[in-house]
Amino acid sequence: MRKDDKWGGAPVEIEAEPATTSDEVKQGWLLKPENKENGGHDHERNIDGKKKKRRMMSKILGSLVSIRSLVVVGVAILVALIIVLVKIAQRNHHHLNSSSPHNYTTALHQALLFFNAQRSGKLPKDNNVSWRGDSCLTDGNSNTKTLVGGYYDAGDASKLSFPASFAMTMLSWSVIEYSAKYEALGELDHVKGIIKWGTDYLLNTFNSSAHSIANVVADVRGGDHDANSHDCWIRPEDIYHQRTGQECYNCPALAAEMASALASASIVFKDNIKYSQKLVHGADLLFKFATKQQGAKYAGGADPSSPLYNSTGFWDEFLWGGSWLYLATGNLSYLQLVTNPDLVGHEGALWTDPDNRVLSWDNKHAGAFLLLSRLRLFLSYGYPYEQMLKKFHSQTEETMCSYLPVFSSFRRTKGGLIQLNHGRPKPLQYVVYAAFLAQLYSDYIDAISAPGWYCGPTFYSNAELRRFARTQIDYILGKNPRGISYVVGFSEHFPQHVHHRGASIPHNKIKYGCKGGLKWRNSRTPNPNTIVGAMVAGPDKHDNFQDVRFNYNYTEPSLVGNAGLVAALVALSSGTPAGIDRNSMFYAVPPLTSPPPPPPSPWIP
């Protein structure tokens, strides 16, 4: 046995047969045995045999050394190759396996962190974003209570009630449907805290303890020469000027959207009876404020012009808010409002244009139709509600059909991203909501043991909807022509120049001010602070993406976008139990007894 192997590794047994042997050694093993019949030549043969044995042994040892050298070299090459392959696999892991439940879960954890980075006001100790601090602690109006708190809308310091309300509604909807998944992933308390931070602020934007209201606060902006302007690049922590809220006295769509947020959140917090009731009361005030302004016949129409987010219509928010209030209260008057057959005669109420199948902060039709379809799928209403619920369900099915690639309702990029906004900028916020609706409807029809649904005469399985949802989210997470994740921090390749003031300005105790921060806006260096979980606006219609801080059409994240991303990710993630929670949505809905149908007209002979 050789103990001083200078190449390292295990010692070599020379008596053992080597795994690989040269032809010369193999020939030596073919020596014939001694021939005893040759008498006088035996001794000479024995001597020659010993010499041959020594030469053979020497050759064997030499061969073993050569073999050992080759083995060492081969092992070294193999190790190097493995290291290279591992690095390549790690680099492309998100691209090759982006549809795995593990990746959806990882992305979900990160996407929720984005909301921590958007908080305004006095931050909680567990906010876990090291480069953020307390900010805008004097927000408020002279004739209203404090407006401190809430969320910054995107990459600036504006707090906007319209998109924030929609974001909170969608987060609440995802919690109501998938609370078991959130809990299994250890994120239920986190997401509920995110929602409460938003609803607490919304309750402060109007007199939520009154019996009626005359106005709401639409937004809080300005400070330091208007911190919303792209020419003012300042961290929210460095804004010290008083900021007041824009009060709105005629904004029914905004009020109905805010009502949706509070009503849906009241179901999330149903176990906190006092807070849940407070949310319901606020939602009821807001909805009455919204519908009162529309007159007895609910004429509809858009809110007054706004420089930022403004609704282009009222009827989607009307259906949305009324549906959530029915689910939150069980009060049939809300259901009667949203299932009134007279709605068919109102332009825009049941508008069937393809754009109405695109759920967004400005268009709730697709969401409201699916929410009302849930009533039809799981509860037996019958007369007089069935007529309208059937229409809503039909609209939902058409929406799902429009998402499938076999139909031409929406184009797709060469990389497979559906163009719900027809190639205009910031496409991803619309894509994530479509993915959520598709997966959610798939779970609905799974829950009633239906294998699929019809698009005209053709039957499609639930798997088609799930495939659509996965491919779209996979594209966002990195399975796209550029191989880039549009969620910051997910994988190794993600946007480095996010259009976000707080992330792009160093957290170094230097107050750069409105103009001083412009050098960071214009800098070509990556952001000094990583805003983990932020989904940026996304690529253009050719799958191209410019990682440029100044171009917000590519690199700006938003509350609305991330709320949809969270909803889609939790719907797609694995969890126990799988699917939806059938009952939590209806916790406030009493057993329904349908009234008898109207008597037939009297017979006239």
Side-chain angles (χ1 to χ4, degrees):
M1 182 179 288
R2 183 168 179 166
K3 297 181 180 180
D4 59 341
D5 183 10
K6 64 180 179 182
W7 291 280
V12 179
E13 279 294 345
I14 63 173
E15 293 84 3
E17 179 178 324
T20 304
T21 313
S22 68
D23 291 338
E24 186 177 2
V25 174
K26 288 181 180 179
Q27 291 172 1
W29 291 343
L30 299 178
L31 292 175
K32 296 178 181 180
E34 292 179 350
N35 186 350
K36 295 183 181 179
E37 294 181 356
N38 289 337
H41 298 284
D42 287 346
H43 179 68
E44 189 174 336
R45 288 174 178 171
N46 288 338
I47 294 175
D48 292 340
K50 290 179 181 179
K51 290 180 180 180
K52 290 180 180 179
K53 287 180 181 179
R54 284 196 295 269
R55 286 197 298 268
M56 184 181 71
M57 190 64 68
S58 177
K59 289 179 180 180
I60 291 174
L61 289 173
S63 299
L64 288 174
V65 172
S66 299
I67 293 167
R68 182 60 178 174
S69 300
L70 291 172
V71 169
V72 170
V73 173
V75 169
I77 294 173
L78 181 60
V79 169
L81 181 60
I82 290 172
I83 292 173
V84 171
L85 291 174
V86 167
K87 288 185 176 181
I88 292 173
Q90 290 174 340
R91 185 180 300 116
N92 296 324
H93 178 72
H94 71 280
H95 179 76
L96 297 175
N97 300 296
S98 56
S99 62
S100 71
H102 170 73
N103 279 354
Y104 294 145
T105 300
T106 300
L108 175 64
H109 292 313
Q110 294 177 335
L112 287 167
L113 283 176
F114 170 75
F115 292 90
N116 294 32
Q118 295 300 103
R119 279 176 170 156
S120 177
K122 184 74 174 177
L123 299 184
K125 294 181 180 180
D126 61 349
N127 200 56
N128 297 329
V129 181
S130 61
W131 46 273
R132 284 300 323 280
D134 299 342
S135 61
C136 298
L137 299 178
T138 59
D139 286 356
N141 292 8
S142 58
N143 60 338
T144 61
K145 52 186 175 180
T146 180
L147 293 172
V148 175
Y151 290 101
Y152 299 123
D153 175 62
D156 48 39
S158 297
K159 298 190 294 190
L160 310 175
S161 298
F162 207 120
S165 296
F166 179 62
M168 295 306 107
T169 305
M170 294 308 301
L171 288 178
S172 293
W173 194 1
S174 73
V175 171
I176 295 166
E177 302 284 14
Y178 299 108
S179 60
K181 286 188 179 182
Y182 275 115
E183 188 166 18
L185 297 172
E187 290 286 10
L188 183 59
D189 289 341
H190 184 196
V191 70
K192 289 175 71 173
I194 289 170
I195 294 168
K196 190 172 186 298
W197 190 271
T199 53
D200 282 350
Y201 172 77
L202 292 176
L203 287 170
N204 285 341
T205 61
F206 65 101
N207 190 353
S208 58
S209 61
H211 295 291
S212 64
I213 58 175
N215 70 318
V216 298
V217 174
D219 57 60
V220 177
R221 299 181 295 121
D224 296 85
H225 309 292
D226 190 1
N228 179 64
S229 169
H230 289 147
D231 291 329
C232 177
W233 204 257
I234 187 173
R235 297 176 70 242
E237 290 82 353
D238 295 338
I239 297 174
Y240 292 103
H241 289 70
Q242 174 74 31
R243 305 200 312 168
T244 59
Q246 179 186 357
E247 295 178 349
C248 182
Y249 294 84
N250 182 29
C251 41
L254 168 61
E257 185 62 50
M258 294 170 65
S260 301
L262 299 186
S264 58
S266 74
I267 303 175
V268 171
F269 296 102
K270 63 183 185 297
D271 295 332
N272 185 345
I273 298 175
K274 185 176 180 180
Y275 188 63
S276 182
Q277 290 176 342
K278 185 177 182 178
L279 292 170
V280 167
H281 178 69
D284 181 65
L285 288 175
L286 289 164
F287 197 71
K288 287 177 178 176
F289 173 68
T291 53
K292 180 181 179 181
Q293 294 179 328
Q294 293 304 316
K297 294 184 179 180
Y298 305 115
D303 283 4
S305 178
S306 170
L308 296 172
Y309 290 85
N310 180 56
S311 176
T312 56
F314 168 71
W315 287 112
D316 54 325
E317 283 86 11
F318 171 78
L319 291 171
W320 189 234
S323 300
W324 279 115
L325 270 162
Y326 171 64
L327 293 166
T329 64
N331 187 333
L332 277 176
S333 65
Y334 293 114
L335 182 61
Q336 290 164 359
L337 281 176
V338 298
T339 59
N340 188 335
D342 290 342
L343 286 172
V344 177
H346 291 294
E347 183 180 358
L350 296 178
W351 187 36
T352 57
D353 185 274
D355 286 346
N356 262 21
R357 297 173 186 140
V358 181
L359 180 60
S360 72
W361 66 268
D362 186 32
N363 195 329
K364 318 305 181 317
H365 279 97
F369 293 159
L370 180 56
L371 196 61
L372 289 164
S373 297
R374 195 187 204 279
L375 298 177
R376 185 171 189 256
L377 289 168
F378 295 109
L379 301 177
S380 299
Y381 279 86
Y383 174 85
Y385 309 106
E386 170 64 11
Q387 176 186 352
M388 289 299 290
L389 291 179
K390 186 177 181 179
K391 288 183 182 295
F392 297 137
H393 191 185
S394 176
Q395 289 296 314
T396 292
E397 290 182 328
E398 289 188 19
T399 295
M400 299 303 146
C401 296
S402 72
Y403 293 158
L404 301 183
V406 296
F407 296 99
S408 59
S409 300
F410 302 102
R411 295 181 178 179
R412 282 167 167 75
T413 68
K414 290 183 179 179
L417 185 70
I418 191 170
Q419 295 290 281
L420 296 169
N421 65 337
H422 309 295
R424 291 188 286 269
K426 304 182 180 181
L428 298 188
Q429 60 177 305
Y430 308 102
V431 173
V432 289
Y433 285 112
F436 171 68
L437 294 184
Q439 181 63 37
L440 182 58
Y441 187 65
S442 170
D443 286 341
Y444 282 177
I445 50 184
D446 269 351
I448 61 171
S449 300
W453 85 110
Y454 280 93
C455 296
T458 306
F459 184 82
Y460 291 92
S461 71
N462 297 346
E464 296 295 328
L465 285 178
R466 291 191 286 268
R467 184 178 298 110
F468 163 76
R470 289 193 191 100
T471 57
Q472 298 306 300
I473 297 302
D474 289 350
Y475 181 105
I476 293 171
L477 296 182
K479 200 170 184 179
N480 54 65
R482 295 180 62 88
I484 183 174
S485 166
Y486 292 111
V487 178
V488 176
F490 186 85
S491 82
E492 295 180 0
H493 189 200
F494 55 83
Q496 303 291 320
H497 305 82
V498 181
H499 182 96
H500 191 277
R501 288 159 175 76
S504 64
I505 300 176
H507 177 49
N508 56 9
K509 298 183 180 180
I510 298 177
K511 296 178 176 60
Y512 292 97
C514 208
K515 298 299 181 182
L518 292 178
K519 72 174 184 178
W520 301 110
R521 183 199 68 179
N522 300 329
S523 170
R524 295 185 179 182
T525 59
N527 286 355
N529 308 308
T530 302
I531 183 164
V532 175
M535 183 184 75
V536 297
D540 63 21
K541 60 184 178 181
H542 303 295
D543 297 306
N544 295 322
F545 179 76
Q546 296 179 18
D547 190 3
V548 180
R549 188 178 299 112
F550 189 78
N551 196 333
Y552 54 86
N553 282 329
Y554 289 102
T555 58
E556 186 171 25
S558 68
L559 280 183
V560 169
N562 260 70
L565 176 65
V566 166
L569 287 170
V570 73
L572 286 166
S573 65
S574 60
T576 303
I580 60 163
D581 179 343
R582 291 186 54 153
N583 300 317
S584 290
M585 184 72 78
F586 303 130
Y587 94 103
V589 177
L592 192 66
T593 303
S594 299
S601 301
W603 181 75
I604 300 175

